[in-house]
Each structure stands twice: as C-alpha cells, then as structure tokens.
Amino acid sequence: MIYPTIQTEDPAVYEIMKREEQRQKEGIELIASENYVSRAVLEAMGSTLTNKYSEGYPGKRYYGGNEIIDQVESLAVERAKQLFNAEHVNVQPLSGSPANLAVYMGLLNPGDKVLGFSLDQGGHLSHGHPLNFSGKLYTIIPYFAEKETEVIDMDKVEEIALREKPKMILAGFSAYSRDFDWKRFKAIADKIGAFTFADIAHVAGLIAGKQLENPVPYFDVVSTTTHKTLRGPRGAMIMCKEQFASAIDKAVFPGVQGGPHDHINAAKAIAYGEALKPEFTNYAAQIIKNARALATALQGKGYRIVSGGTDNHLMLVDLFGSKQITGKEAEKCLEHVGISINKNMIPFDPRKPMDPSGIRVGTPAVTTRGCMEKDMQTVADLMDEALMNRSDENKLTEIKEKVKQFALRFPVPGVE
Ligand SMILES: *Cc1c(COP(=O)(O)O)cnc(C)c1O
C-alpha cells in the first residue's frame, strides 16, 4: 500500500489507482512508448514543488519566491546538457506534442514547407497529421520507406528535398525499427539551407545509454519526450544550438505554455541523473538485445517482422500478412490475456488505420522489470498461444493466468 492518505481521504480514487497498479504488475507491458519510472521519479512528481508558479526562466521569472525552483530547473538543464552533449536545453515542455509545436513556432512561419516521415509509415501525429496543428498550419512533404526493403532510402529523401526545398527537415518516428542516418539528414539539409529538427522521443534513452548515434551534435534542434525509453516523468524537452536558444525559449514561453511544472522538472532532473549512471548504459543495451530476441522468437513462429528485424527497442509485426489476423483483433485478444501492445499500420498497409495489418511491440518496459533475452522466448510463446486460441474463451483465461505468473516474477520499480 503506497497511498495511505488517498485510501482514507478518497477511497473512490484509491480503488482505481490500486486496480491500475495491479494491472501493471500482472500484465506484460509491450507498448513501445511506455516504461516504469523509479520510485525517486514518482516521489518528485508527488511533491510540493507542484505548488509553485514560475513563468519565465531561471533568474528571469514573472513571480517572486523562485530562488529555489530556479535551482531545480537549472540542475535539470545542466544534467540534460551533459547527457546529450547539448549547447542549450529547455526542460519546460509539458509533453512531446507541445514541445514540437514550440519548435515549429520557433523556426517557421505558418505555411512553410516541412519534410517529414510519412505518418502511415511511422511518423508521429505532430509530424503533419491533417487534424494536428502541424498538418493544419504547415505544408508537409512526406518521405517514405521503400516498398521492398521497408527501410528509408536516403538517396530518395535527398531527391525529394532537392526538388521541394523545405524550410525544415524533420527526422524522427514513433514506429520505425531501423536506425536513422542523422549525418546524412544534416548533409541533405545543408545542400538546401534547411533547418534540421530531430524528434528522438522514442529512442532518447537508447541514445543517452550510448547504444544509438546522437543527433544533438549535428542538428539545429532536437526534441524528446522524457517518459519513453528515457524513463523519466511524463513530459518533454528541447535541445538546440546556442544560435536557436532564444527563439526556442520564446516559443515555449510565452509562445505555447504558461507556467512550467516544477515538480515534473524535479523528476526530470532525477531521471537524467539516473540516465547518467553507468547502469543506464546496460539498461539501454539490454532493451535492444531483448527486442532482437523477441523479433527472432516471433519470426521462429512464422510472424513476419517489418524490414526483417530491429535496430532499436521496437518492431512492427505484419500479422495480417503472415497470419491473417488484423491488428485490431490482435490488440483485443492480447489485452484479454494481459499483454499490452498496440495495433499499428505497416508501410504500404493495404488495410485502414483503425484496423491495420500490424501491431507495434517494444521492450523498454519489460527490460526495466528485469526481463532478459531468454524471457523474450516465453513472451513470444504466450503471444502466439493467445493469438492462435483467440476465439477460445477458456483457453484465453488459462493463458491470462500464465501471463500473470510470468509477470509477477519481475518486480515493478516504484511499486515493489
Ligand atoms: C510520443 C511522441 C511524441 C508526443 O508525445 P506526447 O507526450 O504524447 O505528446 C512526439 N513525437 C514522437 C516521435 C513521439 O513518438
């Protein structure tokens, strides 16, 4: 019991919180964007720092009483600079989408052309979805993965960039399992004088953990969420070259946001401190090892992995192509047994977004709980068993119990 006061003061909310905690403990979490934060990060998020208003930046606030809050924000900034080798960092963005809004606002005018990874192939909503601010306010030119390889061909990206001359090139993704060639993106942008913007929301922890190449030294601006592989509180930050510092800071505040969430900034400082420790490098390496092991195990059972494998923490499984199961059916069936994944479009998906051909599967959360490569075989076995028995209610109940017994072997940090 870790919420004794809520239990007595507000049993209704307490009940819900305990049930969710139970779900997190008894299930296998394979959603690629999720993770379990440390107890220290949880404590900071529940702290009295939430009581303060501190519009502005350290040393230049619009409210009094910020001498101490300044220290926590500055500490977060200093640690982030060290972690990513950044010239300037703004830790105030409340989440990934508002961070990206601030980047667009800081560098562009409405209507400007942006080259971004096609959404139905793995780009994020904030990279140009027609209902998102990005698609409404800017002219988005997509680049694609190749049909045969399902990998981005940088020569094609260059061809599009030279033809369209976008004002900004956005490199980043939410559902792509191959490494991004940051240097090549930068070289292409330099040929046409475009700004370079990397959105490393998904892979920030793998970069901080020194397993993937870091775009921060090459790119003008880099945004990231802090709650995915980086394993911090729900939030985001923007890193940039000194020359863009003022434009980015003004775009975040007063451009997009009011007061920062100081309790979250304290939690960010803690998470960055954790990521600076040598153990975090092992964690990041294990995430990738586990993703490769899981991809191999699923392939061994006849599932087709998009592009043939993974270089990072996630993979796309072409369920419809290899097993005639739709992404929606799979999501529902796996949810039923306590395995969380999400349905996802695959490149050149013949099916619709609400019931696509694929699922996205990732290993950051199970790796935090201590799963190793050999456990990925068990995870693949359980997934396959559930999917193959998806219309057998009794069998699914049995599998749910097996999932629970497996999951309970691995403690959830922050809870146990
Ligand atoms: C998750 C994600 C975001 C948005 O994060 P939110 O915090 O959910 O707004 C932005 N960009 C990419 C590439 C992401 O994967």
Side-chain angles (χ1 to χ4, degrees):
M1 183 169 53
I2 64 168
Y3 318 112
T5 315
I6 304 173
Q7 184 174 23
T8 47
E9 299 292 321
D10 195 331
V13 173
Y14 176 79
E15 253 334 289
I16 296 168
M17 289 173 72
K18 283 312 274 188
R19 285 214 311 277
E20 170 59 13
E21 201 175 285
Q22 197 73 5
R23 188 196 67 82
Q24 292 188 12
K25 274 160 64 170
E26 294 177 357
I28 300 176
E29 186 53 72
L30 296 173
I31 292 180
S33 50
E34 293 188 14
N35 215 328
Y36 302 98
V37 297
S38 69
R39 181 85 194 187
V41 167
L42 279 180
E43 283 179 12
M45 287 192 279
S47 71
T48 51
L49 273 65
T50 192
N51 296 336
K52 192 72 198 96
Y53 239 112
S54 46
E55 285 181 354
Y57 291 100
K60 304 179 288 273
R61 304 285 189 182
Y62 289 80
Y63 293 84
N66 274 306
E67 318 73 42
I68 304 164
I69 289 298
D70 279 2
Q71 292 171 21
V72 86
E73 183 169 333
S74 299
L75 187 58
V77 167
E78 282 317 308
R79 287 182 179 172
K81 280 186 181 173
Q82 198 188 336
L83 196 54
F84 289 96
N85 193 15
E87 287 181 15
H88 178 79
V89 179
N90 186 314
V91 295
Q92 293 191 6
L94 305 179
S95 218
S97 295
N100 288 352
L101 172 58
V103 175
Y104 283 87
M105 278 192 51
L107 301 183
L108 306 176
N109 291 309
D112 280 348
K113 263 190 198 176
V114 177
L115 190 68
F117 191 28
S118 170
L119 300 196
D120 54 11
Q121 297 210 346
H124 184 259
L125 288 176
S126 58
H127 301 179
H129 189 283
L131 296 178
N132 185 267
F133 76 84
S134 51
K136 289 191 170 192
L137 295 181
Y138 303 93
T139 310
I140 307 286
I141 312 293
Y143 55 90
F144 298 91
E146 291 304 297
K147 200 155 191 169
E148 302 78 63
T149 57
E150 298 172 311
V151 173
I152 297 166
D153 177 345
M154 291 306 293
D155 292 337
K156 296 275 175 61
V157 175
E158 174 156 348
E159 223 177 276
I160 304 172
L162 294 181
R163 186 177 67 229
E164 298 283 349
K165 303 213 171 30
K167 190 145 176 218
M168 180 170 85
I169 295 184
L170 200 182
F173 58 87
S174 298
Y176 184 71
S177 64
R178 294 305 183 177
D179 211 2
F180 257 55
D181 189 350
W182 309 115
K183 280 185 186 144
R184 184 73 193 278
F185 273 104
K186 171 68 177 151
I188 293 169
D190 283 347
K191 285 192 178 177
I192 53 169
F195 294 126
T196 44
F197 170 25
D199 178 351
I200 59 169
H202 261 265
V203 285
L206 304 178
I207 292 168
K210 301 182 178 62
Q211 303 304 309
L212 294 180
E213 205 189 353
N214 181 9
V216 175
Y218 315 112
F219 271 52
D220 296 328
V221 182
V222 177
S223 73
T224 182
T225 51
T226 46
H227 50 271
K228 297 178 184 174
T229 49
L230 195 50
R231 209 163 62 180
R234 196 154 288 277
M237 69 170 153
I238 303 172
M239 298 168 269
C240 66
K241 296 286 176 208
E242 201 54 55
Q243 86 185 92
F244 300 103
S246 158
I248 291 297
D249 285 351
K250 281 186 193 133
V252 173
F253 172 85
V256 173
Q257 297 182 177
H261 292 185
D262 297 312
H263 57 312
I264 300 296
N265 289 347
K268 284 174 188 170
I270 292 167
Y272 303 159
E274 291 172 354
L276 281 164
K277 290 184 183 155
E279 301 91 276
F280 197 83
T281 305
N282 301 339
Y283 167 60
Q286 192 61 47
I287 292 176
I288 298 176
K289 285 186 205 161
N290 284 351
R292 293 201 168 132
L294 184 54
T296 305
L298 288 168
Q299 281 167 329
K301 294 181 165 294
Y303 293 88
R304 191 179 82 80
I305 304 296
V306 168
S307 84
T310 178
D311 298 325
N312 57 30
H313 62 299
L314 69 82
M315 68 210 73
L316 291 171
V317 187
D318 177 9
L319 276 176
F320 195 74
S322 46
K323 301 277 182 181
Q324 284 71 56
I325 306 170
T326 74
K328 190 174 158 185
E329 272 181 285
E331 186 181 284
K332 195 162 153 266
C333 156
L334 293 172
E335 182 174 72
H336 197 74
V337 298
I339 299 175
S340 302
I341 51 89
N342 61 279
K343 58 180 176 290
N344 215 100
M345 300 275 275
I346 61 168
F348 306 97
D349 202 323
R351 302 182 56 85
K352 300 248 152 35
M354 283 316 290
D355 193 7
S357 297
I359 56 172
R360 186 183 67 164
V361 180
T363 54
V366 287
T367 305
T368 293
R369 287 180 79 163
C371 288
M372 305 297 278
E373 290 102 308
K374 64 177 181 342
D375 303 311
M376 295 301 103
Q377 182 64 52
T378 313
V379 169
D381 290 343
L382 289 165
M383 288 173 74
D384 182 56
E385 206 184 340
L387 291 169
M388 291 306 117
N389 292 287
R390 62 193 179 283
S391 38
D392 183 341
E393 203 58 40
N394 293 334
K395 193 81 192 170
L396 290 179
T397 307
E398 251 172 62
I399 299 166
K400 186 178 180 147
E401 185 55 32
K402 280 200 225 174
V403 166
K404 180 174 159 184
Q405 291 316 321
F406 172 82
L408 289 176
R409 285 172 35 213
F410 303 94
V412 175
V415 176
E416 288 136 324

